[in-house]
């Protein structure tokens, strides 16, 4: 190796992260290779607090339902509701049961107490209303967008549908949320005549929202207009997702995972337009390289949200991956010594920050082989991706915690 691996090692703190970057990025992403481990979320909390206090970040975004996340944002910015209600109704994927997520929300609310609105921390979910067994009904997002336009005084003749006719087109929510549709496209309502009309309607409502921007911001507020845009993005994304749920071609799964990450990317770009953002999600959603997964025994490839955002923001996007040594309670034991994780595991630090491009140089070519995980819920580091990351947080051993069970 041309460079000693020790020369790539730093402490895990905000100042060390910033030293790896040419300037403060508008969007700083921290990935994780597995979900549901509170030890990793506690590390995230610690690092994000430092970045907020030292670098002026003002939004924390996580891999959770973007519409539900509005409940948490209301709580941390204005004290609407209670902490228990925010945790129960403001998260998807079971993340509300996490003690570390609860502590993050509690701290954000305490931090904001007494601050002027312009200085308060904001919370956001970046994921669509999606789960492994399917997707939500587009009802909430579509009706919220339509209701905003009506309440803001948009002329009735400009609206393509009334609330009553919109309700008729949507039908019952269970026709959209049928879990059988994930494995059987014929069970999906995504290509029905009503769904086709709803896709056009969502597009028209979003276009009307955009065309009336000055009027709408003056009549309501920029925050309310931003939320209406989120509802518009979500409605269109959900209807596109449902369309591909009903598809029977070989492209079906590629479209589904691509639409999901595209929804994440659109949400991240909207947040970044508002100010500097910290985001936490799975490495596969934040990396700059193409993501891959096996579904039904076949490989599926797509461009992640991070790759899409990086293409838009360039150097204003930074990505720090997380890699692990062991998760013994999940059967992930000491990594092979010739893997990247094995080399990092031999270091004395329990956790450290690695200069990823320098590590790539130190390892040279050919790179070590990718570690093989005995557990589906942990995705090892891909050595080919090292140079595409700005840094790596390495955690030697992940203890058993009380986090939620793994969700997609």
């Amino acid at each position: 190796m041309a460079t000693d691996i020790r020369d790539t090692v730093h402490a895990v703190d905000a100042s060390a992260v910033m030293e790896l970057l040419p300037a403060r990025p508008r969007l700083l992403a921290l990935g994780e290779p597995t979900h549901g481990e509170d030890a990793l979320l506690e590390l995230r909390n610690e690092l994000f607090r430092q970045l907020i206090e030292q670098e002026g970040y003002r939004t924390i975004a996580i891999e959770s339902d973007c519409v539900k996340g509005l409940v948490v944002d209301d709580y941390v910015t204005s004290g609407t509701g209670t902490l228990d209600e925010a945790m129960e109704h403001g998260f998807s994927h079971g993340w509300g049961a996490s003690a570390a997520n609860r502590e993050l929300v509690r701290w954000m609310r305490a931090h904001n107490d007494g601050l002027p609105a312009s200085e308060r921390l904001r919370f956001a979910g970046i994921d669509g209303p999606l789960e492994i067994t399917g997707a939500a009904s587009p009802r909430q997002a579509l009706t919220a967008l339509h209701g905003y336009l009506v309440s803001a005084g948009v002329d009735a003749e400009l609206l393509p549908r009334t609330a009553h006719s919109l309700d008729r087109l949507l039908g019952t929510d269970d026709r959209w949320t049928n879990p059988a549709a994930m494995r059987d496209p014929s069970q999906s309502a995504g290509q029905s005549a009503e769904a086709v009309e709803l896709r056009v309607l969502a597009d028209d409502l979003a276009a009307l929202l955009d065309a009336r921007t000055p009027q709408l911001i003056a009549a309501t507020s920029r925050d309310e207009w931003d939320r209406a845009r989120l509802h518009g993005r979500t409605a269109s994304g959900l209807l596109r997702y449902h369309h591909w749920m009903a598809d029977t071609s070989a492209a079906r799964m590629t479209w589904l995972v691509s639409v999901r990450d595209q929804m994440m990317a659109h949400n991240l770009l909207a947040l970044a337009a508002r100010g500097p953002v910290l985001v936490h999600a799975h490495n596969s959603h934040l990396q700059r390289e193409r993501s891959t997964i096996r579904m039904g025994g076949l490989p599926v490839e797509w461009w992640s949200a991070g790759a899409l955002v990086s293409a838009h923001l360039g150097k204003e996007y930074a990505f720090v991956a997380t890699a692990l040594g062991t998760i013994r309670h999940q059967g992930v034991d000491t990594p092979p010594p010739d893997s990247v994780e094995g080399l990092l595991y031999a270091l004395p630090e329990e956790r450290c920050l690695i200069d990823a491009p320098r590590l790539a140089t130190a390892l040279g070519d050919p790179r070590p082989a990718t570690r093989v995980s005995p557990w589906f819920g942990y995705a090892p580091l891909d050595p080919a991706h090292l140079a595409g990351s700005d840094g790596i947080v390495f955690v030697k051993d992940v203890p058993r915690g009380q986090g939620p069970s793994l969700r997609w």
Side-chain angles (χ1 to χ4, degrees), residues 292-362:
T292 61
I293 195 171
R294 295 191 71 84
M295 290 185 169
L298 299 174
V300 177
E301 296 187 348
W302 73 102
W303 289 108
S304 72
L308 297 172
V309 171
S310 182
H312 283 276
L313 296 184
K315 293 181 179 179
E316 289 288 304
Y317 178 74
F319 168 54
V320 176
T322 296
L324 307 176
T326 72
I327 323 173
R328 297 191 193 280
H329 54 280
Q330 298 290 3
V332 181
D333 292 322
T334 305
D338 57 349
S339 65
V340 173
E341 288 92 340
L343 293 170
L344 298 178
Y345 196 81
L347 297 171
E349 290 83 1
E350 289 300 313
R351 65 185 197 182
C352 56
L353 175 68
I354 305 295
D355 183 329
R358 290 196 70 192
L359 178 61
T361 300

Side-chain angles (χ1 to χ4, degrees), residues 9 24 45 59 65 106 119 121 137 140 166 174 187-188 207 212 220 251 254 264 288 292 337 341 364 381 394:
V9 178
R24 186 190 74 171
N45 291 354
T59 296
D65 183 332
R106 186 209 63 76
E119 297 179 19
L121 298 178
S137 164
Q140 183 178 5
L166 177 60
D174 58 8
Q187 298 292 312
S188 172
R212 296 280 160 160
T220 59
T254 299
M264 289 187 186
R288 290 185 173 96
T292 61
E341 288 92 340
L381 191 71
F394 182 73

Side-chain angles (χ1 to χ4, degrees), residues 289 338-341 356 359-360 363-371 380-388:
E289 295 80 10
D338 57 349
S339 65
V340 173
E341 288 92 340
L359 178 61
L363 294 176
D365 290 314
R367 299 275 170 80
T370 303
R371 180 186 188 184
L381 191 71
D382 187 337
H385 294 176
L386 285 176

Side-chain angles (χ1 to χ4, degrees), residues 44-62:
R44 171 206 66 188
N45 291 354
E46 179 184 340
L47 187 57
F48 279 10
R49 287 174 189 171
Q50 293 177 16
L51 288 162
I52 286 164
E53 292 166 354
Q54 298 173 27
E55 300 296 332
Y57 283 91
R58 284 291 174 267
T59 296
I60 293 178
I62 72 167

